Amino acid sequence: MVDSYRPKDLKDALRIRGEYGSTPLAGGTDLMVRYQSWAGTLPLFTNSVMFVGHLHELKYIKKIENSLEVGGTATLSMVADHPDTPRVLRDAVLSIAAPALRNNATLTGNICNASPAGDSVCALYALDALIRLEKNGSSRELPVVEFITGPGRTLLGKDELVTAITIPLKNSSIDNFTKVGTRRANALSKLSFTGIADYKNGRIDSIALTFGAVGPTVVRSVELEKKLLGLSRAELKAGKESILSDYSTVIVPIDDQRSTAVYRKKVALNLLDKFINEVADYE
Amino acid sequence: MGSNIALKEDDIKGVKMAAKISIPVLRIDAREKAGGWTHYIADYEFDNLQHGRFLRSERARAKIIEIRKPDFPEGYYYIDASDIPPGGKNNIQMIKDDWRVFADGDVRYIGETIALILGPEKQIVLDLLNQIEVVYEDLVPSFTFQDALSCKGGAIHGTDNIFAEFLLNIGDVDNAFPGAVRVVEGVYETGFQEHLYMETQGIVATWEDEKITLYASSQCPFYIRKSVAGTLGVPLGDIRVKQAATGGAFGGKEHFPDVIATPLAVAVNKIKKPVAMIFDRIEDISFTCKRHPGRISIKTGLDRDNNIVAMEIDTLVNGGAYESSTPIVLQRAIIHGLGVYRIPNARIHGRAVATNTFPSDAYRGFGAPQGLFAIEMHMSHIADEIGMPVSQFKRKHFIKTGDITITNAKMHDDVKLPGMLAKIEEMSDYSEKVKKYEDDPLRGIGLSFVNHGGGFTGNGEQAVIKGVVKMKRLEDGKAGLYVSVVEMGQGLQTALRKIASKELELDYLDIVYDNPDTDIVPDSGPTCASRSTMVVGFLVQECAKKLKIKWDEGVGAEAEHVYTHPEEFVWEQETLQGDAYPSYGWGVNVVEVELDPFTYEVKTTGVWAVWDVGVTIDETIMQGQSSGGVIQALGYASIEKCELKNGAFMQRTMADYTIPTSLDFPEVHTVFIDNPYKYGPSGAKGAGELVFDAAPPAYAEAVQNAIGKRIYEIPVTPEMIMEALR
Amino acid sequence: MKEIKFVLNGKEVSVKADPLKRLLDVLREDKKMTGVKEGCGEGECGACAVLKDGVLVNSCMIPLGAAEGSEIITPEGIRDTEKGKCIIDAFGTAGAVQCGFCTPGMMMATDALLTQNKKPSVDEIREALSGNLCRCTGYDLIVKGVQIASERGKDLW
Ligand SMILES: Cc1cc2nc3c(=O)[nH]c(=O)nc-3n(C[C@@H](O)[C@@H](O)[C@H](O)COP(=O)(O)OP(=O)(O)OC[C@H]3O[C@@H](n4cnc5c(N)ncnc54)[C@H](O)[C@@H]3O)c2cc1C
Ligand code: FES
Ligand code: FES
C-alpha cells in the first residue's frame, strides 16, 4: 500500500511533487492498467501517487497568438473537440481507444507514458510541440523530441510536472496522419505515420515526417528532412526512391504480439511513399 | 421477476410471418439484463466468502522437484492433490478423465493447476502465492503437429500422442484417382480462437445443508456435478450445482468449468466454507481452452468434364495436453469434411494429437468450422485452377436429397441450396460483382456454403445423453418447465417458453423456467451441439402435449418426456457409419471486401447470409444469432490472432487479443428460409453453431479474390497479405 | 484509508477506503452497484462504464481518489428514469440483449450519446459504441436498439 495525495491546486501539487516525488496520476489509463492486480485488490503502485486530473487550472485549451496551448490536465476529448487543433493531432487523438477513454485520459499522460506507439506523440513530433515542465519556483520548456528519451523514459524531473503543451500552428497545406491498428477501432498501433509539408515558390519550404511504433521512440530524422527542403515537385518525384532508401535505414521495428518487423517497415515505407506522391502532386 | 413485461406494439410490427412461432416476442431476460438487475456469479453475495487463486505451472513440460511454501497464516490454505479425500480421484471426469485436478509430480502445459491458494483476504492470498517457489526440472516440450507426430521429448499421451484417429471412406478412392485428368492439392490451416465471452469464468463452491453446492457460470450444470462427484468419490446426488446467469459461453463454459469446480470442491470439502474463483480477464485469456487449431490437407482428382471423381483428406487437430472433448471435435471436423458436396469417392483420415499446450476444447462449431474452411477454400482453388466461376463449380457438386454422405448414409434433408444461392445472389449481386471486380486489384467478394449437423454426433443423444424434461401445472394457470439446458445469451429461456406455451395455449410469460438447479431439474443434457432448441425443444414440445392432456387434473399435474431416437436414423459408433445427424442446418454467406494497398488492411464492405434452420422459433432471436455468429466468425477469419511462443499464448490481454468492435464490420443482412424438420419443435433445427461456420471461408475467398493470390490460412492478417503480394 | 465523498446517483456518499482502490471495486463492493460489470479491468471493454460529471468513463481505470467530489452515475442511477426505461425498452424491442453482460454498459454509452446527439446516424452510433465490446450480438441489433431509443425518446434527451 502506498500513500496518495490530492492537491487542492497547482501550487499544492508542485509542493507535494517536490517534497515526496509522488507519481502524477491524471486519467490513470496507463498507470491503472500498468499496476493492475487481482480485481478487488489495490493496484501495485510502488511509489506514492498524486492525483492531478482534477486540477482545474490546467484543464484548458486555448489559442495564444500562433500557438495552441493545451493545459496539463486537458483530456484527449477536449483536444479532439477544439476547433484550432491541427488536423493531424485531431486525427491522431481520435484514433486513440474509444470515447469513454478519451473523456478521461490526458494528452500529457499520452506523452509522459513515452510509448513509441503513443498516437498523439507521433503527431506532436511532427508538429514541433513543446512541453512545459514546472516545479516549485521555476519552469522550462523542451521540444517533445528532446523530452522523450526512450521507451517509457522522459526528462521529467522528479520534482516537476508537465503543465502545458504548446503546439505552433503552421497552417500547412499538406498533412496526413495514418494509424495502422490491430483492428479498425479501439486498437493499439502496429505503426503510425504523420506527414506535414508546405511549398513556397514551388519548392518545399517545410516538411516533417514521423513514424510511430517502429523504433524505441517515435522516429523523426531532421537530417533526412533537411535533404528535402528546397526540392521542387519534379525533384521530389525523381528522388523518391533514394528518399525511401534513406528512411529504410532509420526505421528499425521489432516483432511483437501485435505485428512483425517486416510488416511494420514495409507499411511505414508505403505510407511515406504515398505521402511523397501526395506532396509531389499537390496543386 | 420479469413477469410484468408488456410487449410494445412495435415489438411485433413489420415481421414477416414464416410460421406463427417465429413472430418475435420480448425476450424474457432482456429488461433485467439491460438495467443491470441480473446477478452474474461475481455479483452474488456469500457470508464468510473465501477467495481462491491457482498456483499454476510456469513450464510447458517439467518434473516438479520441490514446492517451497511460506508459512500460511491461520485461515489460509494450500490445497493440492493430497487433499482429495480417500475414495476420490485426482482426475476430472469429462468424457475421459486424463485431465488432472492438480498437477502432481509433473506439469504438462503452461498454466496447469498445481494448487489452490485461498483465504479471506485477496491481497494475502496473492502475497502467499508470490512467495511460493516451484522448482522444476525441464523436459523437452512438444508444441507443433510435427513435434507431436514425432513424439518429441517422448509421448505425452499413450505411446504415440494420438488422442483419436478415424478413417471415413465412401466409394473407391484408390481406383478413382488414376482416372483423374487433373489433381489439385492444398493444405489449409486454422488458428487457436479464444471464446472471449464478456463474463469471465467464475464459480463459487459452498457448503450448504451439509452438501457441496456450486454456483456456476456454466453451460452444463450436470457436467460439473459429474466431475465434482467423481473427484470426491461421492454419489452424484451429494453434489448440487446451480447455474448462475451466464454472460456468454460459446463452448468455453462446457467442460472448462470442471477445471475450476473440482479444485474448489476439494477445498470446500476440507474447510466447509464458501470459496470463490472468478477469473480476471488476463487469466481467462491466458489460461482457458481455445478452439482446436487445424491442419487439413486435401487432394482432389477431376475428370475431363471437371467433375470431382475422388478426394482424399487428411485432418489434424491439436488437442493440447489433455483429451477433454477432442475426439468428438475431430469427429465433427471430418464428418463435415466434404462440406455440402457430393463426392463419389472420398477418404478422410483424421487424427487428434497431444502437445504441451493448453488443452483445446469446445468452441461454437466444434470442429466443423475447421473442416468447412478447408473444403470451401479448396473448392475455390479448384475453380480457380480450371477457370470456372466458383459459384458454378460449387453448385455443380451440391449434395442432393438422397445422395450418399461421407458416413455412408442417405442425406435425408430436403436440400434447398440452389434456392438459397439464388436468394443470396439477389441480395448481394454476387455474380455481377465477381465480374466487376475481376480487374480490380482492391476489391473482392467471396461465397461460401455450409451445413451443420444438429445435436450430438451419431447416436449420442440416445446412447450417452438420454435427455429428460419435465413439466408441471402450477398455481394461477402457470406451468413449470424443468430442463437442464441453460440460457447463456442465445435466447433459450424465451424459445423454450414459446415452444411450451404454444402447446399449452398459454402466454409464454406463464411458463416458469428458472436457471437449472441439479437438485430440481432432470438431466436433459448439456447446452451445446446446437441441440437445445432442436432436441430439447422437441422434448419440451412433446412434454407440453402430454401435460396438456393432463391439465384438467389440476395443479400439480405432471408430465415427463424422454428422448427416443427416431427409428429411421441408424448409426454404428464403432465404425462411424450411418446417419451422423438426423438433420442439418444449411447456410450461404457472401462477404465483400476492399483492400488498402498501402497498409494491406482489409475493410469489409458487405455481408449477406441466408440460412435454413428449419423454422425460426423467434425471428429476432435468430437475427441476433446470425449477426453475432457471423461477426464472431469474421473475427476468427481476420483479427483474432492467437499465437504460441514456447507454449504460452502471446496475446494475453483484450488489447492484444482483439475481437470485433462495432466499427470493424458492417451490418449482416440476413434471411431465413422455411424448411421444417419433422423432429424439431414447430419444425426448428439446430442453428447456434451453423451461423458461425460460413463466414470464415467467405471472407478468405473475398480477400483472395481481391489480391489475386490463394489463401490457405486464417486468420488472414495484413501481415500475411503483404507476404502474399510480395 | 481515507474518507472520500462523491455524489452517487444523485446522493452524496462517503466511502472509507484507500484512494487508490478502483472506482469499479468501490461501486461493486462497497456500494453494491453490481450493474457495473467487470469485463476486462484494463479499459478495453466498457462493461464498467459509468458517467462521471456527465461524461462516459470506464470505472476500472479510475482510482477512487480521482473521483472525489465528482458526480457518478451507474446503471442503477438511470434504469428507473424515463431515459433509462426508454433505452431498456428499446433494447428489448430490438433484440439487443443476449447474454446481457455488456448491456448495462451499452445503456450508459447510449445515454451519453443521446445526450450529445439526439438523432445519431448509424455511423455515429457505431462510433459511440466502439469502446463497448459485445461478443454475442455482432452489434446490429444494439445499433437498432439505439435508433429505436432515439426515435421513441426524442423528447427525453
Ligand atoms: C484500453 C486502452 C486503449 C488505449 N489505446 C491507445 C491508443 O490507441 N493509442 C495511444 O496512444 N494510447 C492508447 N492508450 C494509452 C492512453 O490511454 C494513455 O497513454 C493516455 O493518454 C494517458 O493519459 P492519462 O491521463 O490516462 O495518463 P496516466 O495513466 O494518468 O499517466 C500516464 C503517465 O503520465 C504521467 N503524467 C500524467 N500527468 C502528468 C503530469 N501532469 N506531469 C507529469 N507526468 C504526468 C504519469 O505519471 C504516467 O507516467 C490506451 C489505453 C487503454 C487503457
Ligand atoms: S472492465 Fe473496465 S473497460 Fe472493461
Ligand atoms: S450480449 Fe453478450 S456480450 Fe453483449
Side-chain angles (χ1 to χ4, degrees):
Chain A
M1 222 187 280
V2 299
D3 286 332
S4 59
Y5 305 94
R6 190 177 159 98
K8 55 180 191 300
D9 54 21
L10 178 59
K11 200 167 150 239
D12 196 22
L14 293 173
R15 177 189 61 80
I16 293 169
R17 178 82 173 145
E19 224 163 286
Y20 308 108
S22 306
T23 305
L25 185 149
T29 64
D30 280 319
L31 290 174
M32 292 297 280
V33 175
R34 190 181 319 149
Y35 294 111
Q36 186 192 359
S37 181
W38 191 359
T41 63
L42 294 176
L44 302 167
F45 285 98
T46 48
N47 186 26
S48 65
V49 172
M50 172 171 69
F51 304 113
V52 298
H54 62 287
L55 294 175
H56 284 287
E57 298 132 284
L58 301 181
K59 210 168 253 331
Y60 67 89
I61 302 187
K62 59 185 177 214
K63 194 175 163 199
I64 301 174
E65 289 168 15
N66 265 340
S67 297
L68 189 69
E69 191 174 298
V70 179
T73 62
T75 63
L76 296 175
S77 293
M78 288 167 68
V79 176
D81 290 346
H82 199 277
D84 293 313
T85 300
R87 185 163 51 192
V88 287
L89 181 60
R90 185 191 321 284
D91 288 352
V93 164
L94 286 174
S95 81
I96 296 176
L101 186 127
R102 298 196 292 268
N103 286 338
N104 195 35
T106 61
L107 187 66
T108 303
N110 202 234
I111 299 165
C112 292
N113 191 40
S115 156
D119 290 310
S120 78
V121 184
C122 179
L124 292 171
Y125 264 54
L127 290 165
D128 297 316
L130 298 166
I131 313 298
R132 188 183 307 151
L133 303 162
E134 264 184 71
K135 64 178 169 187
N136 220 344
S138 69
S139 86
R140 57 178 179 148
E141 206 153 57
L142 291 176
V144 64
V145 215
E146 284 174 34
F147 177 65
I148 296 176
T149 56
R153 288 203 308 274
T154 66
L155 292 180
L156 180 75
K158 260 188 84 70
D159 50 358
E160 285 177 318
L161 280 179
V162 171
T163 51
I165 297 119
T166 306
I167 303 156
L169 296 175
K170 285 186 220 150
N171 242 342
S172 301
S173 346
I174 315 156
D175 61 13
N176 175 281
F177 171 83
T178 303
K179 164 169 171 171
V180 182
T182 49
R183 63 183 161 206
R184 301 194 72 77
N186 200 4
L188 297 180
S189 279
K190 290 176 178 176
L191 72 138
S192 57
F193 167 78
T194 310
I196 302 177
D198 224 338
Y199 284 104
K200 203 167 179 179
N201 306 325
R203 301 215 165 248
I204 292 182
D205 176 52
S206 71
I207 189 156
L209 302 167
T210 63
F211 304 85
V214 294
T217 60
V218 168
V219 171
R220 177 172 181 185
S221 167
V222 176
E223 234 164 276
L224 293 179
E225 286 170 10
K226 266 194 199 137
K227 285 198 188 172
L228 308 180
L229 290 176
L231 295 186
S232 69
R233 289 176 173 78
E235 286 164 350
L236 185 63
K237 218 167 220 167
K240 194 174 78 179
E241 286 315 312
S242 104
I243 300 170
L244 290 175
S245 109
D246 280 349
Y247 270 92
S248 96
T249 61
V250 295
I251 296 172
V252 283
I254 54 162
D255 283 338
D256 67 9
Q257 74 277 20
R258 284 178 210 139
S259 190
T260 63
V262 180
Y263 174 83
R264 286 182 160 119
K265 181 156 189 164
K266 171 84 176 142
V267 172
L269 293 173
N270 282 354
L271 293 173
L272 176 60
D273 186 338
K274 181 184 174 200
F275 185 72
I276 293 173
N277 286 339
E278 235 169 83
V279 176
D281 295 340
Y282 184 71
E283 281 168 1
Chain B
M1 288 196 280
S3 52
N4 57 354
I5 295 168
L7 203 60
K8 291 222 164 170
E9 242 180 278
D10 337 16
D11 289 332
I12 341 183
K13 224 163 52 188
V15 175
K16 231 193 287 147
M17 202 192 312
K20 196 161 179 270
I21 197 146
S22 303
I23 300 173
V25 299
L26 184 62
R27 269 180 71 133
I28 195 89
D29 49 348
R31 186 172 175 275
E32 283 187 20
K33 284 176 171 174
W37 282 283
T38 303
H39 280 185
Y40 298 82
I41 188 64
D43 305 332
Y44 281 50
E45 285 190 61
F46 295 88
D47 288 338
N48 198 13
L49 187 62
Q50 312 295 304
H51 302 279
R53 199 126 164 134
F54 288 144
L55 171 67
R56 297 176 177 283
S57 165
E58 291 163 319
R59 305 299 169 84
R61 192 178 195 182
K63 279 191 194 144
I64 297 178
I65 302 300
E66 192 193 342
I67 299 176
R68 297 181 190 143
K69 292 175 281 223
D71 286 336
F72 273 53
E74 168 96 36
Y76 289 82
Y77 297 90
Y78 178 98
I79 306 283
D80 67 8
S82 67
D83 294 299
I84 295 173
K89 287 203 283 183
N90 187 21
N91 303 90
I92 308 174
Q93 314 282 312
M94 297 182 180
I95 295 161
K96 292 277 176 53
D97 67 355
D98 60 330
W99 199 332
R100 296 173 298 178
V101 181
F102 299 101
D104 196 11
D106 71 328
V107 291
R108 301 178 197 170
Y109 64 89
I110 290 179
E112 182 164 13
T113 309
I114 297 173
L116 168 64
I117 319 301
L118 64 94
E121 290 293 328
K122 283 183 172 179
Q123 190 56 54
I124 296 175
V125 171
L126 269 189
D127 294 344
L128 288 168
L129 193 57
N130 289 336
Q131 290 171 57
I132 298 173
E133 197 189 330
V134 183
V135 183
Y136 300 97
E137 181 187 312
D138 282 320
L139 301 170
V140 178
S142 151
F143 300 127
T144 64
F145 287 121
Q146 205 179 346
D147 290 351
L149 292 174
S150 64
C151 288
K152 186 176 168 195
I156 302 158
H157 175 89
T159 54
D160 55 5
N161 276 340
I162 305 287
F163 283 131
E165 179 164 15
F166 304 112
L167 193 67
L168 298 176
N169 188 65
I170 46 170
D172 188 344
V173 176
D174 294 324
N175 266 322
F177 262 114
V181 297
R182 191 199 289 265
V183 172
V184 181
E185 292 185 67
V187 181
Y188 304 90
E189 299 199 53
T190 59
F192 285 107
Q193 186 182 19
E194 162 55 30
H195 306 81
L196 225 125
Y197 27 68
M198 287 303 303
E199 180 211 25
T200 56
Q201 301 274 353
I203 297 183
V204 179
T206 68
W207 182 250
E208 282 172 19
D209 307 326
E210 301 294 298
K211 193 168 177 170
I212 289 179
T213 301
L214 299 103
Y215 296 80
S217 176
S218 154
Q219 292 174 238
C220 312
F222 279 94
Y223 278 7
I224 295 179
R225 187 176 77 155
K226 174 180 156 197
S227 68
V228 168
T231 295
L232 297 179
V234 300
L236 292 172
D238 282 9
I239 307 297
R240 181 174 192 175
V241 182
K242 298 183 185 183
Q243 188 232 354
T246 297
F250 315 113
K253 295 175 184 172
E254 185 171 335
H255 291 288
F256 187 78
D258 302 358
V259 176
I260 303 176
T262 44
L264 286 186
V266 170
V268 172
N269 182 60
K270 177 169 171 167
I271 68 168
K272 310 286 193 267
K273 288 183 210 164
V275 185
M277 170 141 325
I278 313 285
F279 276 16
D280 284 342
R281 179 59 66 185
I282 291 179
E283 195 176 12
D284 201 294
I285 299 180
S286 308
F287 305 126
T288 62
C289 299
K290 307 279 174 281
R291 184 188 294 287
H292 291 75
R295 176 186 293 165
I296 301 180
S297 314
I298 312 184
K299 179 178 157 194
T300 299
L302 300 155
D303 69 12
R304 228 164 278 288
D305 301 321
N306 292 322
N307 294 309
I308 296 177
V309 292
M311 191 179 278
E312 180 148 30
I313 302 182
D314 187 64
T315 300
L316 281 169
V317 298
N318 180 356
Y322 293 112
E323 186 166 314
S324 189
S325 55
T326 292
I328 317 197
V329 167
L330 176 64
Q331 278 174 20
R332 207 175 257 277
I334 59 172
I335 293 172
H336 288 78
L338 299 182
V340 299
Y341 307 108
R342 162 80 182 115
I343 313 292
N345 304 291
R347 182 159 60 216
I348 306 186
H349 179 211
R351 280 167 298 167
V353 301
T355 60
N356 294 107
T357 57
F358 206 100
S360 307
D361 200 47
Y363 192 140
R364 197 178 202 170
F366 213 70
Q370 293 92 317
L372 289 164
F373 170 74
I375 184 70
E376 283 299 287
M377 295 316 290
H378 185 66
M379 292 297 279
S380 79
H381 294 165
I382 301 174
D384 180 43
E385 191 115 347
I386 62 181
M388 188 185 281
V390 175
S391 66
Q392 192 184 329
F393 182 69
K394 287 184 174 176
R395 185 189 170 127
K396 183 177 153 95
H397 290 90
F398 278 167
I399 196 163
K400 293 185 215 48
T401 309
D403 279 350
I404 300 299
T405 68
I406 188 69
T407 52
N408 278 299
K410 276 205 174 106
M411 172 53 70
H412 299 286
D413 277 31
D414 177 7
V415 181
K416 297 200 169 188
L417 286 174
M420 293 166 73
L421 171 58
K423 182 77 206 166
I424 211 157
E425 278 279 9
E426 178 195 316
M427 290 161 68
S428 66
D429 233 356
Y430 169 80
S431 291
E432 276 308 304
K433 285 178 180 164
V434 170
K435 278 190 217 121
K436 212 166 88 193
Y437 299 162
E438 215 150 70
D439 302 315
D440 188 332
L442 303 182
R443 292 210 275 176
I445 191 159
L447 168 72
S448 65
F449 302 91
V450 297
N451 63 5
H452 195 102
F456 269 71
T457 302
N459 61 350
E461 293 289 346
Q462 167 96 333
V464 187
I465 305 295
K466 303 184 199 75
V468 182
V469 309
K470 272 191 192 155
M471 293 198 71
K472 192 172 173 177
R473 180 169 169 182
L474 307 175
E475 304 279 351
D476 304 327
K478 294 186 196 245
L481 173 59
Y482 309 95
V483 295
S484 65
V485 283
V486 311
E487 172 69 57
M488 50 192 187
Q490 82 284 43
L492 194 69
Q493 286 199 336
T494 306
L496 292 189
R497 276 183 170 89
K498 287 179 83 172
I499 292 165
S501 65
K502 184 170 181 241
E503 298 307 323
L504 290 169
E505 296 174 56
L506 293 178
D507 190 317
Y508 78 108
L509 297 172
D510 288 332
I511 308 293
V512 177
Y513 162 23
D514 295 327
N515 289 345
D517 170 340
T518 56
D519 270 12
I520 294 177
V521 302
D523 188 354
S524 358
T527 318
C528 63
S530 303
R531 64 184 292 278
S532 303
T533 299
M534 177 177 110
V535 178
V536 182
F538 189 68
L539 300 181
V540 169
Q541 176 183 295
E542 298 307 298
C543 189
K545 283 180 185 162
K546 287 184 182 168
L547 184 64
K548 177 82 183 159
I549 295 167
K550 296 169 83 181
W551 190 257
D552 291 337
E553 289 174 14
V555 172
E558 274 190 0
E560 184 181 272
H561 194 76
V562 184
Y563 181 85
T564 49
H565 204 60
E567 269 169 22
E568 67 241 59
F569 305 123
V570 291
W571 179 253
E572 199 189 319
Q573 180 62 28
E574 292 300 297
T575 54
L576 304 184
Q577 295 292 289
D579 296 298
Y581 306 99
S583 83
Y584 295 81
W586 300 81
V588 187
N589 278 189
V590 167
V591 173
E592 190 184 6
V593 301
E594 197 175 324
L595 180 80
D596 181 322
F598 300 97
T599 65
Y600 317 104
E601 292 171 296
V602 173
K603 180 175 175 191
T604 303
T605 51
V607 185
W608 296 268
V610 177
W611 308 113
D612 164 7
V613 296
V615 167
T616 61
I617 294 299
D618 185 292
E619 191 95 15
T620 297
I621 289 176
M622 276 313 304
Q623 190 77 42
Q625 285 293 303
S626 176
S627 289
V630 167
I631 298 302
Q632 202 174 82
L634 287 171
Y636 176 50
S638 62
I639 53 175
E640 294 185 27
K641 196 168 65 170
C642 184
E643 304 156 295
L644 278 176
K645 192 172 175 183
N646 302 326
F649 297 118
M650 281 174 78
Q651 290 75 21
R652 298 153 58 89
T653 64
M654 262 174 100
D656 289 335
Y657 187 84
T658 46
I659 64 165
T661 69
S662 54
L663 287 169
D664 282 278
F665 297 102
E667 184 183 350
V668 180
H669 300 282
T670 298
V671 162
F672 294 98
I673 65 153
D674 227 26
N675 191 9
Y677 162 58
K678 69 176 166 180
Y679 298 110
S682 291
K685 300 192 279 197
E689 295 174 288
L690 170 72
V691 291
F692 185 95
D693 292 340
Y699 179 86
E701 269 192 44
V703 175
Q704 80 181 1
N705 183 236
I707 67 176
K709 304 273 180 190
R710 288 186 194 169
I711 285 179
Y712 292 90
E713 190 183 337
I714 47 172
V716 187
T717 60
E719 286 80 358
M720 272 170 58
I721 296 172
M722 174 198 74
E723 294 292 346
L725 288 174
R726 283 235 261 209
Chain C
M1 290 277 197
K2 265 186 203 150
E3 185 91 22
I4 292 173
K5 288 198 172 79
F6 62 101
V7 179
L8 176 58
N9 295 329
K11 280 195 212 108
E12 182 150 335
V13 296
S14 144
V15 179
K16 214 171 155 201
D18 190 306
L20 289 170
K21 188 167 177 177
R22 301 184 304 172
L23 179 61
L24 171 64
D25 294 329
V26 172
L27 294 172
R28 287 181 51 80
E29 292 173 8
D30 301 62
K31 294 292 156 199
K32 312 290 177 209
M33 298 281 166
T34 54
V36 190
K37 305 292 180 203
E38 171 158 1
C40 68
E42 45 161 311
E44 279 286 330
C45 77
C48 65
V50 298
L51 300 177
K52 177 169 178 268
D53 298 325
V55 298
L56 192 71
V57 296
N58 294 329
S59 62
C60 67
M61 294 182 297
I62 298 180
L64 174 62
E68 187 171 338
S70 62
E71 264 186 65
I72 302 293
I73 297 182
T74 70
E76 286 80 357
I78 65 169
R79 65 191 180 192
D80 296 315
T81 65
E82 288 307 310
K83 290 177 185 175
K85 284 186 209 159
C86 174
I87 298 170
I88 290 171
D89 285 348
F91 279 9
T93 302
V97 186
Q98 291 193 23
C99 83
F101 202 79
C102 69
T103 325
M106 291 284 181
M107 171 172 73
M108 302 310 289
T110 303
D111 179 63
L113 167 65
L114 295 179
T115 301
Q116 283 187 347
N117 181 353
K118 280 169 73 125
K119 219 172 161 19
S121 66
V122 167
D123 287 347
E124 287 166 337
I125 295 171
R126 285 186 179 267
E127 166 64 32
L129 300 182
S130 63
N132 293 74
L133 298 186
C134 174
R135 190 58 153 166
C136 302
T137 64
Y139 306 101
D140 290 346
L141 299 185
I142 298 179
V143 172
K144 194 172 149 202
V146 179
Q147 285 177 305
I148 296 173
S150 125
E151 245 169 69
R152 287 188 193 158
K154 49 181 176 288
D155 304 323
L156 292 175
W157 278 277

